[in-house]
Amino acid sequence: MKKLNLVFLLLMFFAIGSQAQSYTKSNLGIKTQINSTDVEIQFYGPSTVRVLKSPMGKTFEKKSLSVVKTPQAVKFTVKKQGDIVSLKSNKLKVDVDLKSGKISYYTLSGEQLLSEKEGATFTDFNDAGSKTYTINQLFTLDKNEDIYGLGQQQRGKLSLRNTKLNMVQGNTDDYVPFLVSTKGYGLFWDNYSPSVFEDTPESTSFKSEVGDCIDYYIMFGGNIDGSIACMRDLTGQAPMFPLWTFGYWQSKERYKSQNELVGVVNKYRELGVPLDGIIQDWQYWGNNYLWNAMEFLNTEFPNPKKMVEDIHNQNAHLIISIWSSFGPQTKQFREMEPKGMLLNFGTWPQSGLESWPPNREYPSGVQPYDPYNPEARDIYWKHLQKGLFSLGIDGWWMDSTEPDHLDFKPSDFDLKTYLGSFRKVRNAFPLMAVGGVAEHQRSASSDKRIFILTRSAFAGQQRCGANTWSGDVNSSWQSLRNQIPAGLNFTMSAIPYWNTDIGGFFAGAYNRGWSEGAKNPSFQELYVRWLQFGAFTPMMRSHGTDIPREIYNFGKKGETIFDAIAKTINLRYSLLPYIYSTSWSVTNNQYTIMRALVMDFNDKKVKDMNNEYMFGKSILVAPVVNAQYTPETIVKSDAETGWDKKDATGEKKGAAVNFTQPKSMKVYLPEGTAWYDFWTNEKINGGKEIVKATTIDEIPLYIKSGSIIPFGPQVQYATEKKWDDLEIRVYGGANGEFTLYEDENDNYNYEKGAYSTITFTWNDAKKALTISNRKGSFPGMLAERKFKIRLVASGKNTSNEYDKVIVYKGKKIVTVLP
C-alpha cells in the first residue's frame, strides 16, 4: 500500500511539473499557466507585445478604452529551451520563464530592454460590491537608462528615475500611464483606476487599486520617437488641427459681455497686432444653478449669433468654455438625473452664488455627468450642437475634464458609472469626455476640423483633436520653470499637443500695491518671459484671472513691454509655415513638435535637462526662466486659495524698472552639431555651455546646423496672405532637408489626399539647394510662387539681401548658393 502511495505521489509530482512547463501556441502568441496565474503573450505587431495576466481560471472580458488597434498577423517563432519559452518576431524577442513567471524583452541582437522582477501580484479587493483585485507588477530597469512620460507632473524634473507618482487625475497633473526609455522601448500600463508608479534602485513598479487583470504593452521603437509612433499606432493617430489654431489666442477669466468679447478682437485689429482666436470663459449661461447650460442665458450676451458673426467678420475664431458637469436647473441635468447619468460628488462650483469662500448654505447642486455612458455622451452632444455648435462656434474649451473632485471621500469611488465603479475607470474620465465630443462632431460634419482645448488627458486622447493645457497653474517663476519638463513629459506620453496659461492663471498677488497688475514690473517681466516660452509651444494662448492679459493693458506701441509682446507674437506668425509643416509630420509620421533634447541628441548632459528643448527638428529654445530685472517674488496659490483676493500677497509698488538693460544667461548647446544664434547668426560648435546676452524682447534661440526653415509673411491672422513669397533660410555646415506642407487649412480633405508637399534638400559640400517636384494638389493651391533663399553663415546675411530669388512653378529646381 505504501508503495502504491509513493507511485501515486510521484505521478502527481510529474503531472504538476508537466503542467507548469506547458504552454499553448495561439495565432497571436502563447498562453500558459504559471504559479496559479493565467498568462497570455500577444503580438499586436512585430514591435508591440501585449501581456495579460489574471488569477488562474478567472474569466473576464477586457475591452480597452485606450487601444483602438486590433492585433495584426505577425510572423513569429516559438522555441522552448529548459524553462524558457522564447517568442521572436522580426523586431523583438520575448522570453517567458515557465517556472518563475518572469518575462524579459530583448532586441534581436540580444540586448535586454526590460525584464519583470517577479511574477504578478493579485490582492483581493472589494470594489463597491464587486470582487476584484489590487494588481501590482515589478520591473527591473538598467541603472543607466532614463525614462520619461507618464503625462504631466508639476515636479520641475524631466527624468522619472527615483520618482514616486500617485496617479489620480487632477487640475494641474494629468496622468498617462505610458513611459519611454532611452533604451528605445515604451511601456503602456493599460489600467484606469488610481495607480502608483514608483521607481527605486531596486525595482520599477505599477500598482493599480483595481483590475480584473494585469494588462500592459511593451513596444520597441528603437528610440523615443519610434516608441511614441508605436503607441500612437496602438491608441490612435493625431489628426491635423486647422492652421488658425497655431496663431495667437487671447483669453481671460472672463469676458463678461458680448460687447467686451468682440471689442477685444476689434482692438487687436486696430493696433495691427496679430490675433487668430478669442476664448469665452464660463458664466455666459448665467448663474451657477445653470452651470454649463450650453446656452447664452446671461443677458449680457443678447445676440450670440451676431457675436460669432462679428468675430468671424474680423477673420478671427471663437472657442467657448464647456464643462463636464451641469447645474440642477439645466436641461441636461434634468434629462440625465432620472437616468442615473450623474455622479454625485463635490465638484466646482460649490456654491450657487458668486462668492468666496463658497456659501455652503446655498449649494450649487452641480454634478459631473457619466461620460462612460454612450447615451449620456449622446445627450451631451445633442445640447452642445443645438445651443452652441449651430451658432458657428469654432471649437471647445473643455474645462475640468479630470474632473474637479472637491471634498473627496473614499466612498465617492464607489459611485456607479456605466462601466462599473468610478474607482475602476477614474483616470479615463478625460478620454471619455473629450472623445465623446470629438466623435460626435466628426459624425456631424467634416467641414470644420475638431479643435478642443482641454484641461486633462489620458492615453489615446491624441486621436480626439485635443490640445491639453497645464491647468490653473500659479503666476510665479517657479511655476514657469515647472512647465517645461511638465510639457516635455506630456508630449513624450505620445500626446503631441500641449500648452499653458501664458502668465500663469492665479496672478492676484501682483495687484497688491498696483491699481493695475499689468503695470507691475514684476508681473510684466514674468508675463513677457512666459509669452516667449508660449510662442514655442503647440498653442500660443494667453489666459488667467485677476490681471487682464490683452496687449494694450501693458502699455502702448513704442513702450518696451508692449513692443516685446508684439515682437514675440509676430515671430510666432513668421514661423507658421514651419509649425504647420511640422504638424503634418505629427499626423503623417507620428512626430512630436515639442521635444526633450534627449530625443535628438546622444549627449549625457541633456538626459535630465529641464530648461531647454527643441521646437521641431531645427529650433533649440532656451526660455528665460529666472527674473533678471525684478525680485523673484514667491507666490503660492492653488485652485482653492487662488480665488481668495483678500489673502493676495506680493511685492509692494516700488521704483521704476529699466527693461532696456542687457542681461545674460547660460545656455547649453548639445554636442554632435554646430548651432547658429537665431538673432546674430553667430555659429557655435555644440557640446558646451555658453553665456548668452539677453534682452527683454529676446530669449536664446539656436538653429541646428543643416536646418532649412521657411518664414512666412507679416500678417494679422494666419490665413490673411497666401504663402506665395516665402523666405527660405538655409543654415549651412551640414546636409539638411525640410518638407513644406500645405492644404486647405481647415476640413478633412487632406485625409483624401487633398494636400501638397515640396521638399527642400541641402547639399552642404556642393552648396546646392534642391527644390523637389511638388507632390499632390488641393483646391486653391498656388501654381506659381517665389522663394527668397538666404544661406546663413556665421556673421553673414544679417541684412535684408537674399542669395537667390526663385520663381517656382512646381517643377524641380537645383540652385547653387554663394
Side-chain angles (χ1 to χ4, degrees):
M1 188 69 180
K2 288 182 179 180
K3 186 175 181 180
L4 286 174
N5 285 338
L6 180 61
V7 171
F8 176 77
L9 290 171
L10 286 171
L11 287 172
M12 286 293 294
F13 174 80
F14 285 115
I16 293 170
S18 175
Q19 181 187 31
Q21 299 297 313
S22 67
Y23 67 90
T24 303
K25 185 177 179 182
S26 69
N27 291 333
L28 301 177
I30 67 167
K31 298 179 181 180
T32 186
Q33 294 179 331
I34 308 170
N35 300 330
S36 301
T37 302
D38 288 331
V39 179
E40 184 170 1
I41 312 291
Q42 302 175 343
F43 277 104
Y44 260 58
S47 302
T48 301
V49 170
R50 182 189 190 188
V51 176
L52 281 163
K53 299 182 181 183
S54 58
M56 190 180 297
K58 299 295 183 182
T59 59
F60 64 92
E61 182 179 354
K62 168 72 184 288
K63 179 172 172 53
S64 178
L65 300 177
S66 296
V67 175
V68 295
K69 181 183 177 70
T70 55
Q72 67 186 76
V74 175
K75 290 183 178 179
F76 65 94
T77 60
V78 180
K79 293 183 180 179
K80 182 174 182 294
Q81 186 172 357
D83 293 329
I84 306 298
V85 174
S86 297
L87 298 82
K88 185 186 292 187
S89 71
N90 64 0
K91 296 287 187 181
L92 191 62
K93 176 174 172 282
V94 183
D95 282 358
V96 182
D97 189 325
L98 296 177
K99 189 174 182 180
S100 69
K102 185 172 76 170
I103 305 174
S104 303
Y105 305 89
Y106 301 85
T107 66
L108 294 186
S109 63
E111 178 191 2
Q112 186 175 94
L113 297 169
L114 178 71
S115 176
E116 294 180 353
K117 187 175 178 65
E118 55 191 47
T121 301
F122 296 89
T123 306
D124 288 343
F125 187 90
N126 184 333
D127 181 26
S130 297
K131 186 181 183 303
T132 184
Y133 307 94
T134 293
I135 56 175
N136 190 19
Q137 180 67 63
L138 276 67
F139 300 91
T140 301
L141 272 60
D142 189 314
K143 66 178 181 179
N144 294 319
E145 71 178 293
D146 281 277
I147 53 175
Y148 311 94
L150 297 184
Q152 166 195 284
Q153 317 98 36
Q154 300 292 334
R155 301 179 300 119
K157 289 278 290 178
L158 188 65
S159 176
L160 293 169
R161 296 312 305 261
N162 300 306
T163 297
K164 184 176 181 179
L165 300 175
N166 182 28
M167 301 200 298
V168 182
Q169 306 292 22
N171 183 316
T172 60
D173 295 289
D174 301 329
Y175 291 106
V176 179
F178 172 70
L179 61 80
V180 290
S181 166
T182 49
K183 296 186 75 171
Y185 69 84
L187 191 163
F188 171 42
W189 180 258
D190 194 9
N191 184 282
Y192 323 117
S193 71
S195 301
V196 173
F197 167 84
E198 186 170 16
D199 178 71
T200 69
E202 291 74 36
S203 65
T204 303
S205 64
F206 284 92
K207 182 178 182 180
S208 292
E209 199 161 322
V210 299
D212 295 320
C213 64
I214 284 173
D215 186 359
Y216 73 85
Y217 295 78
I218 293 291
M219 51 209 80
F220 177 59
N223 54 34
I224 292 174
D225 278 304
S227 298
I228 289 171
C230 289
M231 182 62 175
R232 293 202 203 140
D233 178 59
L234 191 67
T235 61
Q237 301 296 349
M240 288 288 290
F241 284 133
L243 176 61
W244 47 265
T245 66
F246 296 103
Y248 176 68
W249 285 81
Q250 187 62 62
S251 179
K252 77 171 185 179
E253 187 283 306
R254 63 197 179 278
Y255 297 116
K256 296 185 178 181
S257 72
Q258 177 171 335
N259 289 337
E260 183 185 9
L261 183 75
V262 175
V264 172
V265 180
N266 293 341
K267 186 69 173 177
Y268 268 84
R269 293 290 180 254
E270 291 170 11
L271 292 170
V273 177
L275 177 77
D276 259 275
I278 193 162
I279 305 174
Q280 177 57 46
D281 205 341
W282 57 10
Q283 293 182 334
Y284 58 89
W285 50 71
N287 64 57
N288 289 349
Y289 298 113
L290 293 168
W291 189 265
N292 196 35
M294 298 175 178
E295 293 183 79
F296 286 92
L297 303 175
N298 186 328
T299 56
E300 295 297 321
F301 295 84
N303 192 341
K305 188 168 182 60
K306 183 180 185 300
M307 179 184 74
V308 175
E309 290 172 352
D310 288 345
I311 291 169
H312 287 171
N313 288 338
Q314 289 278 34
N315 296 293
H317 296 82
L318 171 66
I319 67 175
I320 194 163
S321 173
I322 57 176
W323 288 61
S324 301
S325 53
F326 296 101
Q329 294 179 4
T330 60
K331 297 173 184 176
Q332 296 92 328
F333 188 104
R334 287 178 285 168
E335 187 171 354
M336 290 184 181
E337 199 268 343
K339 297 182 178 183
M341 296 176 177
L342 300 174
L343 303 175
N344 187 16
F345 60 76
T347 194
W348 183 274
Q350 294 178 299
S351 173
L353 308 177
E354 282 192 64
S355 62
W356 190 268
N359 189 332
R360 300 301 180 94
E361 293 185 6
Y362 297 90
S364 70
V366 172
Q367 294 183 27
Y369 91 111
D370 179 1
Y372 310 98
N373 187 324
E375 185 184 355
R377 295 196 298 271
D378 291 344
I379 294 170
Y380 191 100
W381 173 254
K382 177 182 70 175
H383 290 278
L384 180 59
Q385 184 174 34
K386 182 179 179 181
L388 298 177
F389 190 62
S390 62
L391 297 175
I393 289 173
D394 301 291
W396 315 112
W397 183 11
M398 296 190 69
D399 210 335
S400 189
T401 46
E402 60 280 340
D404 279 312
H405 195 161
L406 309 177
D407 299 330
F408 169 76
K409 304 183 296 295
S411 60
D412 291 345
F413 278 158
D414 293 338
L415 292 170
K416 295 296 184 182
T417 75
Y418 182 81
L419 295 178
S421 75
F422 186 45
R423 178 184 295 104
K424 183 178 181 180
V425 291
R426 167 70 186 100
N427 283 343
F429 191 104
L431 174 65
M432 304 307 291
V434 172
V437 171
E439 291 166 11
H440 280 91
Q441 181 176 329
R442 186 64 198 272
S443 296
S445 172
S446 292
D447 296 333
K448 184 192 294 287
R449 291 180 196 167
I450 297 162
F451 181 60
I452 297 171
L453 174 64
T454 183
R455 197 169 78 184
S456 193
F458 192 70
Q461 201 159 305
Q462 71 280 351
R463 65 181 183 253
C464 300
N467 191 320
T468 304
W469 95 92
S470 60
D472 297 338
V473 296
N474 201 16
S475 295
S476 70
W477 288 97
Q478 184 57 53
S479 183
L480 172 58
R481 288 190 284 270
N482 290 346
Q483 299 318 298
I484 298 173
L488 295 175
N489 271 314
F490 185 85
T491 61
M492 284 191 284
S493 304
I495 307 180
Y497 292 107
W498 177 91
N499 70 105
T500 72
D501 289 346
I502 289 174
F505 185 72
F506 293 113
Y510 298 95
N511 283 321
R512 179 63 60 87
W514 294 82
S515 58
E516 298 176 73
K519 298 297 194 296
N520 182 341
S522 290
F523 185 71
Q524 289 180 334
E525 183 181 7
L526 175 65
Y527 181 78
V528 167
R529 294 312 193 191
W530 207 313
L531 184 84
Q532 291 162 342
F533 164 59
F536 294 92
T537 62
M539 183 182 187
M540 186 183 186
R541 181 187 58 89
S542 172
H543 178 71
T545 190
D546 303 315
I547 299 177
R549 315 292 167 89
E550 297 80 17
I551 187 172
Y552 43 83
N553 289 295
F554 292 90
K556 58 186 178 180
K557 188 175 181 179
E559 296 178 352
T560 304
I561 296 300
F562 182 102
D563 289 352
I565 294 170
K567 179 177 180 177
T568 304
I569 295 172
N570 278 298
L571 175 59
R572 170 74 173 201
Y573 277 83
S574 72
L575 288 169
L576 284 182
Y578 174 82
I579 295 169
Y580 198 57
S581 298
T582 304
S583 76
W584 168 244
S585 190
V586 170
T587 296
N588 194 49
N589 301 315
Q590 297 80 50
Y591 194 65
T592 299
I593 297 178
M594 190 175 172
R595 307 172 58 78
L597 296 182
V598 71
M599 299 175 73
D600 293 311
F601 302 100
N602 184 21
D603 182 339
K604 63 182 181 180
K605 292 184 179 179
V606 305
K607 284 189 174 184
D608 197 21
M609 185 157 284
N610 304 300
N611 58 348
E612 299 177 19
Y613 60 97
M614 295 296 292
F615 189 64
K617 66 180 182 179
S618 298
I619 305 174
L620 185 148
V621 185
V624 177
V625 292
N626 294 94
Q628 296 177 317
Y629 297 90
T630 61
E632 190 165 304
T633 306
I634 303 299
V635 180
K636 294 183 179 180
S637 62
D638 55 30
E640 289 290 320
T641 63
W643 296 103
D644 192 347
K645 310 303 187 290
K646 291 183 296 185
D647 291 337
T649 58
E651 183 186 1
K652 299 290 180 68
K653 189 170 183 178
V657 174
N658 182 3
F659 282 118
T660 64
Q661 294 179 337
K663 301 292 182 178
S664 66
M665 63 176 281
K666 293 179 179 179
V667 178
Y668 180 75
L669 300 177
E671 65 183 14
T673 185
W675 297 91
Y676 288 87
D677 186 314
F678 175 78
W679 306 105
T680 67
N681 291 342
E682 178 188 5
K683 186 178 181 181
I684 306 169
N685 289 326
K688 60 186 176 184
E689 186 177 75
I690 63 169
V691 176
K692 166 62 180 169
T694 63
T695 55
I696 191 63
D697 62 344
E698 294 179 1
I699 60 170
L701 299 172
Y702 288 87
I703 311 301
K704 186 180 177 184
S705 180
S707 294
I708 302 169
I709 301 181
F711 286 81
Q714 185 171 343
V715 292
Q716 296 304 294
Y717 54 93
T719 58
E720 181 186 14
K721 299 176 183 176
K722 290 182 177 292
W723 294 346
D724 56 355
D725 193 12
L726 295 182
E727 176 183 343
I728 308 296
R729 293 188 197 174
V730 179
Y731 290 83
N735 294 335
E737 183 177 288
F738 183 84
T739 297
L740 178 69
Y741 172 85
E742 295 169 290
D743 63 17
E744 295 174 271
N745 299 323
D746 202 349
N747 71 39
Y748 287 96
N749 290 339
Y750 74 88
E751 294 181 344
K752 304 172 186 176
Y755 64 88
S756 73
T757 59
I758 302 169
T759 297
F760 298 80
T761 305
W762 172 247
N763 185 314
D764 195 64
K766 296 181 179 180
K767 297 294 182 284
L769 179 68
T770 300
I771 307 175
S772 71
N773 289 323
R774 182 179 54 232
K775 295 181 180 179
S777 65
F778 60 92
M781 182 183 71
L782 290 167
E784 181 178 313
R785 69 206 304 168
K786 283 194 298 184
F787 290 130
K788 298 176 292 189
I789 313 298
R790 184 195 301 272
L791 176 60
V792 179
S794 190
K796 176 182 179 293
N797 274 351
T798 55
S799 69
N800 290 324
E801 295 181 4
Y802 300 102
D803 293 295
K804 290 284 179 70
V805 177
I806 293 173
V807 176
Y808 178 78
K809 299 182 179 181
K811 298 299 181 182
K812 179 179 176 180
I813 295 175
V814 180
T815 184
V816 176
L817 301 181

